[in-house]
Amino acid sequence: MKRIKLLPFPLLVVTGMLGLGPIFCFGQTPRVTAIAAEVPASLTDTGEFAENIYDAAQAGDWGAAGAKFAALKTSVALLKADLKNPLPAQRVVENNLDGAVAALDKSISAKARQATLLQANQITSLAADITAPFHPKVPVEVTKLDYLGRELEIWAVANDPRKLQAIGLEIDVTWAKVQPVIVSHGGKKAAEIFGKLVA
């Protein structure tokens, strides 16, 4: 099934305004490569591998999904070693991450598309939560908007209006947090454009 693009996902929108790349990127799921140096590479990899799995499952490429899952398990194991003194909130998210990885393993083995999309996307969100205390140059809310865009894709296919409404509200709240950062970096016009898209 062709991937539905309900929103122009915002990672390159915001990274462009922060001086890290192009301003707009429509029809793609862009990735941030320039983040604070103190964020462990294993944490960045965890989020990216989960997104790779999402894309592979979306395309029905279970071989690629399995290969990226093996890489994901390695990055999660390294992450536990890299986070030697996690904050209490990070420790809670780590436990949730373990559960999500276990569930993702089962869904990939069963080639369960919907479950794989949900679990892979959830892992990208959990990785963002663990990243937040590092205060990366690109705000965590940007990653959250990307995550929420994929959630819209998933639940639009499932035709769940209540879920879509809840996600829409979460997008509004998340955008309200990151919008002032964009404006402060000289992106007022682009923020207005994206704000209309959010609305």
Side-chain angles (χ1 to χ4, degrees), residues 28-111:
Q28 298 181 31
T29 303
R31 294 174 175 83
V32 177
T33 55
I35 60 176
E38 66 269 20
V39 177
S42 57
L43 180 51
T44 305
D45 289 344
T46 293
E48 183 161 340
F49 291 145
E51 192 172 333
N52 294 154
I53 293 168
Y54 181 99
D55 291 339
Q58 187 77 279
D61 189 344
W62 295 104
K68 287 298 181 180
F69 181 74
L72 174 69
K73 285 197 298 184
T74 299
S75 68
V76 170
L78 290 172
L79 175 58
K80 291 180 179 299
D82 289 338
L83 290 176
K84 295 179 175 62
N85 297 299
L87 297 172
Q90 288 177 312
R91 191 173 294 110
V92 170
V93 178
E94 271 192 291
N95 292 335
N96 292 336
L97 181 61
D98 289 338
V101 170
L104 182 60
D105 189 6
K106 292 179 181 178
S107 67
I108 291 175
S109 296
K111 297 182 180 179

Side-chain angles (χ1 to χ4, degrees), residues 7 23 37 45 67 72 76 109 130 157 163:
L7 284 176
I23 290 183
D45 289 344
L72 174 69
V76 170
S109 296
I130 296 173
V157 173
K163 189 70 176 179

Side-chain angles (χ1 to χ4, degrees), residues 169-183:
L169 291 173
E170 194 172 350
I171 287 173
D172 285 342
V173 171
T174 306
W175 173 244
K177 291 179 181 178
V178 77
Q179 188 261 358
V181 178
I182 295 172
V183 172

Side-chain angles (χ1 to χ4, degrees), residues 46-47 50 72 97 100-101 104 118-128:
T46 293
L72 174 69
L97 181 61
V101 170
L104 182 60
L118 284 169
Q119 293 300 333
N121 201 33
Q122 181 63 24
I123 289 170
T124 67
S125 180
L126 293 171

Side-chain angles (χ1 to χ4, degrees), residues 119-142:
Q119 293 300 333
N121 201 33
Q122 181 63 24
I123 289 170
T124 67
S125 180
L126 293 171
D129 290 338
I130 296 173
T131 302
F134 290 99
H135 303 292
K137 184 173 183 180
V138 176
V140 167
E141 286 80 13
V142 177

Side-chain angles (χ1 to χ4, degrees), residues 13 17 23-24 175 182 186-196:
V13 175
M17 286 180 260
I23 290 183
F24 280 99
W175 173 244
I182 295 172
K188 183 178 179 181
K189 184 175 180 180
E192 288 175 354
I193 294 171
F194 191 74
K196 290 177 182 178

